[in-house]
């Protein structure tokens, strides 16, 4: 059974930084694609960033246009953990952030999220 557990959310001011973590268990591969979505109040869940497994020891990163240049996704396979470093946060980044992974470990997260964490709240005040 897959478990994704997020941590690191909180209340920050505009311009601040925050790092989210997601610890995974039960995925078919430690190299599996993982990443982040978010959902703001009254809005649909949207893709934020993906750390996609291409094969062997090759990965690619993928970002939503709204976070490019401000957010960075990274991972530690030894810890089955993916991180989201968020810099220069804006009030419009306020949302519940969900860790996600696809059923196919080499699928692009943007297209095929299957497993979800419980979410962590990020609130950015102006």
């Amino acid at each position: 059974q897959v478990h994704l557990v997020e941590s690191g959310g909180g209340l920050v001011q505009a311009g601040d930084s925050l790092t989210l973590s997601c610890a995974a268990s039960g995925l078919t591969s430690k190299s599996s694609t993982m990443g982040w979505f978010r959902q703001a109040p009254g809005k649909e869940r949207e893709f934020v960033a993906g750390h996609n497994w291409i094969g062997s020891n090759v990965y690619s990163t993928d970002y939503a246009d709204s976070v490019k240049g401000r957010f960075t996704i990274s991972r530690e396979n030894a810890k089955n953990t993916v991180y989201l470093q968020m810099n220069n946060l804006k009030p419009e980044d306020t949302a519940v952030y969900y860790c996600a992974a696809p059923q196919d470990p080499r699928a692009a997260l943007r297209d095929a999220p299957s497993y979800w964490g419980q979410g962590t709240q990020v609130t950015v005040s102006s």
Side-chain angles (χ1 to χ4, degrees), residues 2-6 20-24 27 32-38 45-52 73 75 80-84 97-105 107-120:
V2 175
H3 290 283
L4 304 173
V5 181
E6 304 98 334
L20 305 182
S21 301
C22 172
L27 294 174
S32 175
T33 291
M34 293 175 63
W36 299 89
F37 282 70
R38 69 186 181 186
R45 192 171 299 189
E46 65 175 0
F47 171 77
V48 175
H51 201 279
N52 299 324
I73 190 169
R75 70 190 296 150
N80 284 348
T81 299
V82 67
Y83 304 95
L84 186 67
Y97 283 70
Y98 295 92
C99 182
Q103 187 172 21
D104 176 355
L109 182 68
R110 177 192 292 264
D111 301 325
S114 297
Y115 306 114
W116 299 92
Q118 82 286 355
T120 187

Side-chain angles (χ1 to χ4, degrees), residues 11-116:
L11 172 63
V12 297
Q13 293 186 331
D16 284 351
S17 298
L18 201 61
T19 300
L20 305 182
S21 301
C22 172
S25 61
L27 294 174
T28 56
S29 172
K30 290 185 177 182
S31 302
S32 175
T33 291
M34 293 175 63
W36 299 89
F37 282 70
R38 69 186 181 186
Q39 188 167 19
K43 294 188 177 181
E44 293 187 354
R45 192 171 299 189
E46 65 175 0
F47 171 77
V48 175
H51 201 279
N52 299 324
W53 184 29
I54 305 300
S56 186
N57 201 33
V58 180
Y59 299 87
S60 68
T61 55
D62 182 21
Y63 296 94
D65 288 343
S66 59
V67 307
K68 280 181 181 176
R70 299 188 299 121
F71 291 11
T72 302
I73 190 169
S74 61
R75 70 190 296 150
E76 283 189 79
N77 285 355
K79 294 184 178 181
N80 284 348
T81 299
V82 67
Y83 304 95
L84 186 67
Q85 172 68 42
M86 304 184 292
N87 296 329
N88 189 23
L89 282 161
K90 304 176 180 180
E92 52 263 42
D93 293 318
T94 294
V96 177
Y97 283 70
Y98 295 92
C99 182
Q103 187 172 21
D104 176 355
R106 297 189 185 186
L109 182 68
R110 177 192 292 264
D111 301 325
S114 297
Y115 306 114
W116 299 92

